[in-house]
Coordinates of all heavy atoms in Angstrom, one line a residue:
S582 N 106.4 41.5 -97.9 CA 106.5 40.1 -97.4 C 106.0 39.1 -98.5 O 106.0 37.9 -98.2 CB 105.6 40.0 -96.2 OG 104.2 40.1 -96.5
S583 N 105.6 39.5 -99.6 CA 105.1 38.6 -100.7 C 106.3 37.8 -101.3 O 107.2 38.4 -101.9 CB 104.5 39.4 -101.8 OG 103.4 40.1 -101.4
P584 N 106.3 36.5 -101.1 CA 107.5 35.7 -101.5 C 107.7 35.7 -103.0 O 108.9 35.6 -103.5 CB 107.2 34.3 -101.0 CG 105.7 34.3 -100.7 CD 105.4 35.7 -100.4
V585 N 106.7 35.9 -103.8 CA 106.9 35.8 -105.3 C 107.6 37.1 -105.8 O 108.1 37.1 -106.9 CB 105.5 35.6 -106.0 CG1 104.7 36.9 -106.1 CG2 105.7 35.0 -107.4
R586 N 107.6 38.2 -105.0 CA 108.2 39.5 -105.5 C 109.6 39.3 -105.9 O 110.1 40.0 -106.8 CB 108.1 40.5 -104.4 CG 106.7 41.1 -104.2 CD 106.8 42.2 -103.2 NE 107.6 43.4 -103.6 CZ 108.2 44.2 -102.8 NH1 108.2 44.1 -101.5 NH2 108.9 45.2 -103.3
Q587 N 110.3 38.4 -105.2 CA 111.8 38.2 -105.5 C 112.0 37.7 -106.9 O 113.2 37.9 -107.4 CB 112.4 37.3 -104.5 CG 111.8 35.9 -104.5 CD 112.2 35.0 -103.3 OE1 113.4 34.8 -103.1 NE2 111.3 34.5 -102.6
F588 N 111.0 37.2 -107.6 CA 111.2 36.7 -108.9 C 110.7 37.6 -110.0 O 111.0 37.5 -111.2 CB 110.5 35.4 -109.1 CG 110.7 34.3 -108.0 CD1 109.7 33.8 -107.3 CD2 112.0 34.0 -107.7 CE1 109.9 32.8 -106.3 CE2 112.3 33.0 -106.7 CZ 111.2 32.5 -106.0
L589 N 110.0 38.7 -109.6 CA 109.3 39.5 -110.5 C 110.0 40.9 -110.7 O 110.5 41.4 -109.8 CB 107.8 39.8 -110.1 CG 107.0 38.5 -109.9 CD1 105.6 38.9 -109.4 CD2 106.9 37.7 -111.1
D590 N 109.9 41.4 -111.9 CA 110.4 42.7 -112.3 C 109.3 43.7 -112.2 O 108.3 43.6 -112.9 CB 111.0 42.7 -113.7 CG 111.6 44.0 -114.1 OD1 111.0 45.1 -113.8 OD2 112.7 44.0 -114.6
P591 N 109.3 44.7 -111.2 CA 108.1 45.6 -111.0 C 107.8 46.3 -112.3 O 106.6 46.5 -112.5 CB 108.6 46.5 -109.9 CG 109.7 45.7 -109.2 CD 110.4 44.9 -110.2
K592 N 108.7 46.8 -113.1 CA 108.4 47.5 -114.3 C 107.7 46.6 -115.3 O 106.7 47.0 -115.9 CB 109.7 48.1 -114.9 CG 110.3 49.2 -114.0 CD 111.6 49.8 -114.7 CE 112.2 50.9 -113.9 NZ 113.4 51.5 -114.5
K593 N 108.2 45.4 -115.4 CA 107.6 44.5 -116.4 C 106.1 44.1 -115.9 O 105.2 44.1 -116.8 CB 108.4 43.2 -116.5 CG 109.7 43.3 -117.1 CD 110.4 41.9 -117.2 CE 111.8 41.9 -117.8 NZ 112.4 40.6 -117.9
V594 N 105.9 44.0 -114.6 CA 104.6 43.7 -114.1 C 103.7 44.8 -114.4 O 102.5 44.6 -114.9 CB 104.7 43.4 -112.6 CG1 103.2 43.3 -112.0 CG2 105.4 42.2 -112.3
E595 N 104.1 46.1 -114.2 CA 103.2 47.2 -114.4 C 102.9 47.4 -115.9 O 101.7 47.7 -116.3 CB 103.8 48.5 -113.9 CG 102.9 49.7 -113.9 CD 101.6 49.4 -113.2 OE1 101.6 48.8 -112.1 OE2 100.5 49.8 -113.7
V596 N 103.9 47.1 -116.8 CA 103.6 47.2 -118.3 C 102.5 46.1 -118.6 O 101.6 46.4 -119.4 CB 104.9 47.0 -119.0 CG1 104.6 46.7 -120.5 CG2 105.8 48.2 -118.9
F597 N 102.7 45.0 -118.1 CA 101.8 43.9 -118.3 C 100.4 44.2 -117.9 O 99.4 44.0 -118.6 CB 102.2 42.6 -117.6 CG 101.5 41.3 -118.1 CD1 101.9 40.6 -119.2 CD2 100.4 40.9 -117.3 CE1 101.2 39.5 -119.5 CE2 99.7 39.7 -117.7 CZ 100.1 39.0 -118.8
L598 N 100.3 44.8 -116.7 CA 99.0 45.1 -116.1 C 98.3 46.2 -116.9 O 97.0 46.3 -117.0 CB 99.1 45.5 -114.7 CG 99.5 44.4 -113.7 CD1 99.8 45.0 -112.3 CD2 98.4 43.4 -113.6
S599 N 99.1 47.1 -117.5 CA 98.5 48.2 -118.3 C 98.2 47.9 -119.7 O 97.7 48.7 -120.4 CB 99.5 49.4 -118.2 OG 99.8 49.7 -116.9
S600 N 98.6 46.7 -120.2 CA 98.4 46.3 -121.6 C 97.1 45.6 -121.8 O 96.6 44.9 -120.8 CB 99.6 45.5 -122.0 OG 100.8 46.2 -121.9
P601 N 96.5 45.7 -122.9 CA 95.3 45.0 -123.2 C 95.5 43.5 -123.1 O 96.6 43.0 -123.5 CB 94.9 45.4 -124.7 CG 95.7 46.6 -124.9 CD 96.9 46.5 -124.1
S602 N 94.5 42.7 -122.6 CA 94.7 41.3 -122.4 C 94.6 40.6 -123.8 O 93.8 41.0 -124.7 CB 93.6 40.7 -121.5 OG 93.7 41.2 -120.2
D603 N 95.3 39.5 -123.9 CA 95.3 38.7 -125.1 C 94.7 37.4 -124.8 O 95.4 36.6 -124.1 CB 96.7 38.6 -125.7 CG 96.7 38.0 -127.1 OD1 95.6 37.4 -127.5 OD2 97.7 38.1 -127.8
Y604 N 93.5 37.1 -125.2 CA 92.9 35.8 -124.9 C 93.2 34.8 -126.0 O 92.9 33.6 -125.8 CB 91.3 36.0 -124.9 CG 90.8 36.7 -123.7 CD1 90.7 38.1 -123.7 CD2 90.5 36.0 -122.5 CE1 90.2 38.8 -122.6 CE2 90.0 36.7 -121.4 CZ 89.8 38.0 -121.4 OH 89.3 38.7 -120.3
G605 N 93.8 35.2 -127.1 CA 94.0 34.2 -128.2 C 95.3 33.6 -128.3 O 95.6 32.8 -129.2
K606 N 96.3 33.9 -127.4 CA 97.6 33.4 -127.5 C 98.0 32.7 -126.2 O 98.7 33.3 -125.3 CB 98.6 34.5 -127.8 CG 98.5 35.0 -129.3 CD 99.5 36.1 -129.5 CE 99.4 36.6 -131.0 NZ 100.4 37.7 -131.2
P607 N 97.5 31.5 -126.0 CA 97.8 30.8 -124.7 C 99.3 30.5 -124.5 O 100.0 30.2 -125.5 CB 97.0 29.5 -124.8 CG 96.0 29.7 -125.9 CD 96.7 30.7 -126.8

Side-chain angles (χ1 to χ4, degrees):
S582 69
S583 300
V585 79
R586 284 184 68 206
Q587 62 192 301
F588 310 126
L589 304 178
D590 183 314
K592 292 182 179 178
K593 291 182 180 180
V594 171
E595 190 53 44
V596 169
F597 190 87
L598 292 173
S599 302
S600 302
S602 295
D603 189 344
Y604 287 90
K606 293 182 179 179

